[in-house]
Amino acid sequence: MAAGPGLLQLPPGERAILDGYRGRLHIAPTEAALGEARALIDRLARHQAEEAASRLQPATTTDGHTLEIAANVNRADQVPRALEQGAEGVGLMRTEFLFLERDHVPGEDEQFGVYQAMVQALGGRPLIVRTLDIGGDKQVPHLNLPAEENPFLGVRGARLCLQRDDLLLPQLRALVRAAQTGPLSIMFPMISTVDEVRRLKARLAEVQRALGLTGTAIPVGIMIEVPSAARLADRLAPHVDFFSIGTNDLTQYTLAVDRQHPQLAGMADSLHPAVLRLVADTVTGARRHGRWVGVCGGLAGEPLGAALLAGLGVQELSMSVGDLGAIKALLRRHGLAELQDLARQALDMDDGEQVRALGARLRSAAEGV
Ligand code: PEP
Ligand code: MG
């Protein structure tokens, strides 16, 4: 929570106002402050109800540009709620949970069952499954991987998979088989070099050949979450079908701020212009080769973030289920041209605070907060 150790010293039952919009916790508020907070909660509830009412409509801007809106969902049983909340597909299925929730490495058939259930739950809608992103903040004790001095800069994600056929191949086999049952795209995480993509695609092609399942073309994408990948987007694009930007990691690697560091939480700001410039680089590189770009990091689910990403040319936003309605409504209230103008200005700011100030130009629902 990055609220500091003082939080643990509060007496039980202490009243407080938690303002998640501004990242503030007000301890022992006055009656007047409590009254204001209650009024704000009521306004927010009305605002959210209004936005939720239109959640099944597409995210089409006032000038007729439609963004694809997907949800970050890991399990088939969570899909109905995501669809009900307005998701048009799943833009990020993190597969680490398959390993984190078990005390063993799930085999090919076990994984196939999970992916196939996901395809079925989506009933023909798009699904992007990300291959294992283990390492960094996602440690799996039963894999007994060697401890590293700097796990975020270590053998993580695609790097680990390229060293461990015993992890990569059963997953690819399960994914290739599940892709025969409906739409499924494969996405590789933590890509930092073109060579990694070449090698991973070669592994995938071998698996398809070995299974005799070369007939179904499976779209392949990579996550852009390392600055080198963003800067080399035009070199990476010819090798893949799409990019999905992981703004959580892209932010920590761009700003050299550990995404989990309690004292630096305020600095891990995905709205920082340095991060936004890398998003712009990614879109430019992808466009040169006719590839599309999505974002599945937390920035996609923040109102100003989504507005800027749309303005920068991102075509798909994948987010937590709870954010879907508000983001779709926000995009429908604006024209792409004005979001492009906003994004241009954001790229020329000094820091995240200045970018955040641009948020005042966004229109809120009938009753703003
Ligand atoms: C990201 O880094 O933004 C992302 C979506 O991946 P994860 O949060 O799982 O690292
Ligand atoms: Mg990531």
Side-chain angles (χ1 to χ4, degrees):
M1 288 174 56
L7 195 60
L8 299 174
Q9 265 114 55
L10 293 179
E14 179 67 274
R15 289 206 294 190
I17 299 171
L18 177 62
D19 180 349
Y21 283 89
R22 291 168 191 85
R24 297 260 182 274
L25 181 70
H26 305 274
I27 311 290
T30 60
E31 278 307 320
L34 274 176
E36 272 174 40
R38 288 199 184 99
L40 180 60
I41 288 169
D42 288 344
R43 279 209 306 282
L44 271 169
R46 284 198 295 277
H47 183 135
Q48 281 165 353
E50 228 175 271
E51 293 182 335
S54 59
R55 67 190 183 276
L56 299 180
Q57 292 171 27
T60 303
T61 57
T62 53
D63 46 3
H65 178 87
T66 300
L67 276 96
E68 196 176 324
I69 305 295
N72 296 350
V73 173
N74 297 339
R75 307 161 59 113
D77 61 2
Q78 295 164 342
V79 168
R81 177 164 173 262
L83 298 180
E84 201 266 326
Q85 292 301 314
E88 297 157 5
V90 166
L92 171 64
M93 176 187 180
R94 293 177 166 101
T95 57
E96 301 82 62
F97 90 96
L98 284 167
F99 288 65
L100 292 164
E101 287 178 356
R102 288 168 175 73
D103 55 7
H104 63 276
V105 173
E108 177 186 329
D109 286 340
E110 199 173 348
Q111 291 194 49
F112 170 69
V114 171
Y115 306 142
Q116 188 195 28
M118 198 76 178
V119 170
Q120 269 168 11
L122 279 162
R125 296 175 187 84
L127 165 65
I128 301 177
V129 184
R130 181 176 80 181
T131 61
L132 272 181
D133 181 17
I134 299 228
D137 54 328
K138 300 156 184 118
Q139 298 293 341
V140 179
H142 60 83
L143 283 180
N144 295 315
L145 296 170
E148 294 177 296
E149 285 269 326
N150 277 310
F152 279 117
L153 303 182
V155 184
R156 180 185 165 187
R159 298 172 184 173
L160 177 68
C161 286
L162 280 167
Q163 288 184 9
R164 295 282 302 263
D165 272 355
D166 60 317
L167 297 177
L168 178 66
L169 297 186
Q171 178 162 46
L172 290 182
R173 289 173 64 90
L175 288 169
V176 168
R177 285 168 56 198
Q180 312 304 308
T181 67
L184 185 157
S185 302
I186 296 177
M187 177 159 77
F188 296 113
M190 268 299 290
I191 296 297
S192 56
T193 70
V194 177
D195 184 57
E196 285 165 347
V197 182
R198 280 207 201 94
R199 287 161 58 206
L200 285 163
K201 283 193 68 187
R203 299 311 261 157
L204 176 60
E206 281 163 27
V207 163
Q208 286 174 295
R209 270 197 303 276
L211 287 169
L213 294 173
T214 48
T216 313
I218 304 175
V220 174
I222 55 172
M223 291 203 60
I224 302 289
E225 43 190 354
V226 177
S228 62
R231 295 291 291 137
L232 277 181
D234 62 325
R235 306 299 307 169
L236 289 160
H239 300 278
V240 296
D241 298 295
F242 65 92
F243 292 147
S244 187
I245 304 177
T247 49
N248 309 334
D249 276 311
L250 187 60
T251 302
Q252 76 161 346
Y253 291 127
T254 303
L255 301 175
V257 174
D258 178 342
R259 65 193 262 185
Q260 296 180 310
H261 199 300
Q263 284 166 30
L264 301 179
M267 283 179 77
D269 188 355
S270 296
L271 286 171
H272 195 289
V275 179
L276 299 177
R277 286 183 184 199
L278 289 173
V279 172
D281 285 346
T282 305
V283 171
T284 305
R287 279 197 182 144
R288 204 169 289 168
H289 300 276
R291 306 297 191 254
W292 63 268
V293 179
V295 172
C296 59
L299 194 60
E302 288 180 27
L304 178 57
L308 292 171
L309 293 169
L312 289 170
V314 166
Q315 287 152 279
E316 179 242 29
L317 299 173
S318 190
M319 64 199 72
S320 302
V321 171
D323 294 328
L324 291 160
I327 296 298
K328 288 177 101 173
L330 174 108
L331 293 169
R332 273 200 300 273
R333 285 195 292 270
H334 296 86
L336 182 63
E338 57 183 327
L339 299 182
Q340 286 168 335
D341 188 48
L342 200 70
R344 261 193 301 275
Q345 292 180 50
L347 293 178
D348 267 335
M349 295 288 160
D350 292 345
D351 53 34
E353 273 318 301
Q354 289 186 1
V355 172
R356 208 161 268 108
L358 292 174
R361 309 216 186 140
L362 291 176
R363 277 185 287 286
S364 49
E367 293 181 80
V369 289

